[in-house]
Amino acid sequence: MIRFFRSGNPLTVLLLFIYTLVLKFYYLIHPSMYQADGSEGYLYTWLTGVLEGWVGKSPFFFTSLAVLLLFLQALLITRIINNHRLFAKDTYLPAMSFILFTSLLESWNVFGPAMLVNTLMLWIFHSITDLYMRNSARDVAFNIGFAIGLCGLLWFPAVLFVALLLISLVVMRAFRLAEWIIGLLGLFCPFYLLGTYLFLTDQWNVLTSLPKISFHLPMITNYKVWGALVTSVLFFVTGWLMLQRTFNKMLIQGRKIWSAAAVYVLVAMVVPFFSAQFTPGYWLLVILPLSLFAGNVFWTITSNTIAGALHILVLAYVIVMQYFSH
């Protein structure tokens, strides 16, 4: 199977869709409602209210929507990777890795703020990859800041991804204070528009009930969470170490994008600790950039037999956790 995903053949999309259905089948037959733990943003609450008004309280609908979003995100991150030639040839290994690793934990397959934030983060990461080639990046910095602000309206701690914007500006470009300031202005713009709307519609009191940032360092006792975290971190570290073999041979833009992706992983690891209600489900934000490094593990192992055995090992773990554990 690794051999097929290693290829950039567009027909691999069909195989990826079947692969997604197989790995997500357990969640489709045991569907869950959308996430609602009190830490959601104003925009997420409004959106889920609209969807619930259309389809009612249908766990199957929201789980199916979550699976569809994960599949689309896998395709989009692959398109970004292949457009920028981060691998020697076009490949669907990062897409396969994203679907595989999001299956490690059930809460990573529940429709929630993290899943919607991930969709916007694709736009943000795509914009970050373009920073290096721009003579002036003020408009890109504003757009990234604005998208992070929208993420904050879905789930307020996501505004901390502004750290990714600022570090990416350092990594991708020479320091220009104007770009930093314009990026921060973009971040505040969605909140300004929301405040204006609430003021004009006399809903100013809604602001008092919006979730806030608070730091939590939880004691994680669930072995499934530990299993998913350890597996993900091992693949991230291994993928980064394997990348060093060819890192210096890459074009400057490629090296900078990989570095920005590593920063993305580290920032996404920390952000969930600032949620009003901590849940491991928010670590779904990490899996999107981590899929690049997991894909690099399978790509760098040139033996399809060894790579396939590694893939089967992770796949077996996923199936055991889904069907044979409680």
Side-chain angles (χ1 to χ4, degrees):
M1 183 173 289
I2 291 293
R3 179 168 58 88
F4 294 108
F5 284 118
R6 190 185 296 272
S7 165
N9 191 325
L11 291 177
T12 310
V13 174
L14 178 60
L15 177 61
L16 181 67
F17 182 71
I18 297 172
Y19 184 79
T20 302
L21 291 180
V22 171
L23 264 67
K24 308 301 183 184
F25 183 71
Y26 176 85
Y27 307 120
L28 290 171
I29 62 176
H30 298 89
S32 304
M33 278 295 288
Y34 60 84
Q35 182 180 336
D37 60 7
S39 61
E40 304 83 16
Y42 179 86
L43 190 57
Y44 174 79
T45 303
W46 172 82
L47 178 61
T48 51
V50 171
L51 292 175
E52 191 174 325
W54 289 347
V55 301
K57 293 184 178 296
S58 172
F60 182 77
F61 169 80
F62 285 102
T63 301
S64 299
L65 183 58
V67 171
L68 178 61
L69 276 175
L70 291 173
F71 176 70
L72 292 176
Q73 288 168 6
L75 292 179
L76 290 172
I77 191 64
T78 299
R79 182 176 181 181
I80 295 171
I81 292 167
N82 290 339
N83 283 348
H84 290 281
R85 298 289 188 268
L86 296 187
F87 292 86
K89 297 179 181 179
D90 288 355
T91 178
Y92 282 88
L93 285 174
M96 182 209 76
S97 300
F98 180 70
I99 296 299
L100 178 63
F101 279 77
T102 54
S103 302
L104 287 170
L105 196 64
E106 184 174 3
S107 58
W108 291 346
N109 297 269
V110 176
F111 184 83
M115 195 166 289
L116 296 177
V117 169
N118 257 356
T119 305
L120 287 173
M121 290 303 297
L122 283 165
W123 174 25
I124 292 170
F125 184 65
H126 173 67
S127 299
I128 288 174
T129 60
D130 288 336
L131 284 172
Y132 178 73
M133 300 301 293
R134 300 292 296 265
N135 292 325
S136 174
R138 295 182 182 183
D139 56 336
V140 178
F142 180 87
N143 290 339
I144 294 173
F146 187 87
I148 294 174
L150 289 178
C151 291
L153 293 182
L154 290 166
W155 179 58
F156 189 64
V159 298
L160 297 176
F161 276 111
V162 69
L164 174 61
L165 167 60
L166 299 179
I167 297 174
S168 295
L169 285 172
V170 172
V171 171
M172 303 292 288
R173 301 179 59 78
F175 175 75
R176 292 180 176 87
L177 181 60
E179 294 174 355
W180 285 49
I181 294 174
I182 290 174
L184 293 175
L185 289 175
L187 172 68
F188 290 111
C189 190
F191 296 97
Y192 173 78
L193 294 175
L194 174 63
T196 302
Y197 168 75
L198 295 177
F199 176 76
L200 294 176
T201 56
D202 197 24
Q203 301 180 64
W204 198 251
N205 59 318
V206 171
L207 292 178
T208 60
S209 61
L210 293 179
K212 300 175 176 62
I213 289 179
S214 57
F215 181 76
H216 298 276
L217 196 60
M219 181 67 69
I220 300 174
T221 57
N222 190 319
Y223 70 93
K224 290 186 178 182
V225 176
W226 276 112
L229 289 178
V230 170
T231 304
S232 300
V233 170
L234 280 176
F235 268 81
F236 169 60
V237 173
T238 304
W240 175 256
L241 292 176
M242 287 182 165
L243 184 67
Q244 304 312 305
R245 300 179 183 178
T246 58
F247 194 75
N248 291 329
K249 299 178 183 178
M250 294 181 186
L251 296 174
I252 295 176
Q253 183 183 15
R255 294 203 299 266
K256 288 180 177 293
I257 292 174
W258 275 108
S259 299
V263 172
Y264 183 180
V265 171
L266 297 176
V267 172
M269 283 182 179
V270 174
V271 168
F273 290 118
F274 292 87
S275 177
Q277 299 290 334
F278 174 84
T279 171
Y282 288 118
W283 271 319
L284 173 63
L285 297 167
V286 182
I287 305 302
L288 189 63
L290 185 142
S291 62
L292 277 73
F293 298 92
N296 187 57
V297 172
F298 293 113
W299 175 266
T300 306
I301 300 174
T302 55
S303 170
N304 286 326
T305 302
I306 297 175
L310 181 60
H311 170 251
I312 291 174
L313 182 64
V314 180
L315 184 60
Y317 175 82
V318 167
I319 293 174
V320 169
M321 289 297 103
Q322 287 179 345
Y323 293 96
F324 304 103
S325 64
H326 302 284

